Amino acid sequence: LKDNHKIDCTLSGSTGITCLFHGDDDILVGNVGDSRCVVGGLDSAGALYTKALSNDHKPTDDEEAERIESSGGRITPYMYEGQPSGPSRVWLKEEDMPGRCMTRSFGDEVASSVGVIAEPELTSFKINSTDKYLLLMSDGIFEFMEDDKVIDLVHTWQKSGPTPRELSRKHVPQARRQWY
């Protein structure tokens, strides 16, 4: 991104989540930021379950915060009229920028100057016969809906036969209603 002079990545970046299927039942999950991967299914008793396969990289995580602060960054919520508003964010030491809610991203030059890194966290997972759903979604969904709720909605909606794309699009209005 930095080498492409058509893209100004001074204050822009992104998070990312990906899965690599290998072997018969192994998944390798790579995560940068606060996008999330969860698996869900039905256990032997027929109860719906959810398991997170990634960790959110947020300023509230002690190890992530230590890296930011040791790199000269500051972690506080946005301040409005002297009062904290919203989640903890990453800022420059003496300036109210960039204000990122995540501690890992790629492409953001200002945030990277205070310890926001693009190094993915990798986790491995074995699929089993009861796993039915694998979801990779951004914080736009998971910030407003718990993992269990997202899997529950997919489980309920899939009974009417929508495609995976249609299922994912149904989550946006659900999350938007939670936001307001």
Side-chain angles (χ1 to χ4, degrees):
L1 289 175
K2 292 177 185 178
D3 291 340
N4 183 338
H5 299 289
K6 295 178 184 175
I7 299 172
D8 181 5
C9 56
T10 305
L11 287 170
S12 62
S14 185
T15 66
I17 186 91
T18 189
C19 286
L20 171 68
F21 290 85
H22 59 98
D24 292 334
D25 58 358
D26 293 312
I27 298 175
L28 179 64
V29 178
N31 183 36
V32 173
D34 55 1
S35 294
R36 194 176 301 167
C37 179
V38 298
V39 67
L42 298 169
D43 66 19
S44 58
L48 195 60
Y49 65 84
T50 304
K51 180 177 180 179
L53 302 185
S54 62
N55 298 305
D56 293 353
H57 301 125
K58 296 192 174 243
T60 52
D61 179 275
D62 290 341
E63 287 181 37
E64 297 288 310
E66 182 179 324
R67 185 185 65 251
I68 300 299
E69 291 168 346
S70 70
S71 298
R74 164 173 63 95
I75 296 174
T76 60
Y78 177 76
M79 300 300 284
Y80 179 73
E81 296 182 357
Q83 297 295 315
S85 177
S88 292
R89 296 174 177 271
V90 175
W91 308 94
L92 297 178
K93 190 66 151 185
E94 303 294 330
E95 291 183 69
D96 287 342
M97 62 183 290
R100 299 287 176 250
C101 293
M102 80 288 290
T103 54
R104 295 188 191 204
S105 69
F106 53 90
D108 187 327
E109 290 179 6
V110 171
S112 69
S113 74
V114 290
V116 174
I117 61 173
E119 181 181 324
E121 180 176 30
L122 302 174
T123 55
S124 296
F125 179 75
K126 283 207 175 292
I127 298 172
N128 66 54
S129 61
T130 62
D131 295 333
K132 188 169 177 144
Y133 312 110
L134 179 69
L135 306 178
L136 291 88
M137 296 182 173
S138 75
D139 70 311
I141 300 297
F142 285 118
E143 186 172 340
F144 304 106
M145 297 170 64
E146 297 296 322
D147 297 358
D148 292 342
K149 177 66 174 174
V150 175
I151 290 289
D152 182 55
L153 289 170
V154 167
H155 182 67
T156 300
W157 292 335
Q158 65 83 31
K159 294 173 186 174
S160 63
T163 66
R165 179 184 210 107
E166 291 167 334
L167 279 173
S168 66
R169 287 186 174 173
K170 286 183 164 211
H171 280 91
V172 173
Q174 290 287 328
R176 189 174 290 145
R177 281 192 285 279
Q178 299 290 328
W179 185 31
Y180 295 121

